[in-house]
Amino acid sequence: MLANSKAFSGFAVPDIEAARAFYGDTLGLEVTEDHGILTLHLAGDRPTIVYPKPDHQPATYTILNFQVDDVEAAVDELAARGVEFEIYEGAPQDEKGIVRGQGPDIAWFTDPAGNILSVIKTD
């Protein structure tokens, strides 16, 4: 029944304007709005909606992974745009927050709502 349905993902934030600025201006994604709901137009025709939820609680897991060729270059560019990378106690991360050699290189950061995102090495 749903095998041919064009499914899409979504997540909540408490402040749509802050999300629009972060995803559009800071991350450089194409963002549109319709009836107070944002759509992130991600590569590969993978639209993701961002909807307002006043009592939002951020997820404790990664909600969105951005595949990149070079994690360190992505971290450096995003840090220059004001993005702060997470350092998790006990995780084998370097000073930039990058985990290397434990699977694909990866680094985590959060959006203004506290949702966890990552940049991860593609093969």
Side-chain angles (χ1 to χ4, degrees):
M1 176 174 132
L2 298 178
N4 294 317
S5 174
K6 288 195 169 199
F8 59 92
S9 296
F11 58 90
V13 298
D15 184 340
I16 286 292
E17 289 307 314
R20 177 202 312 277
F22 180 76
Y23 287 98
D25 299 337
T26 303
L27 299 187
L29 301 177
E30 179 186 351
V31 178
T32 58
E33 181 178 349
D34 187 29
H35 295 87
I37 296 175
L38 302 180
T39 298
L40 308 180
H41 300 275
L42 305 176
D45 192 29
R46 296 182 180 172
T48 299
I49 65 167
V50 180
Y51 55 92
K53 186 171 187 284
D55 62 344
H56 170 264
Q57 294 293 317
T60 57
Y61 52 85
T62 308
I63 65 160
L64 193 56
N65 297 285
F66 292 95
Q67 294 182 331
V68 296
D69 293 328
D70 184 335
V71 170
E72 186 161 4
V75 166
D76 290 344
E77 182 177 336
L78 290 170
R81 294 177 179 205
V83 174
E84 294 182 17
F85 284 82
E86 299 294 306
I87 302 291
Y88 295 109
E89 188 174 326
Q93 295 170 275
D94 65 16
E95 67 282 349
K96 292 183 179 184
I98 303 171
V99 174
R100 303 171 197 269
Q102 307 287 315
D105 292 354
I106 188 169
W108 296 272
F109 58 102
T110 60
D111 72 3
N115 294 313
I116 302 169
L117 315 170
S118 83
V119 286
I120 187 168
K121 173 79 169 96
T122 58
D123 288 329

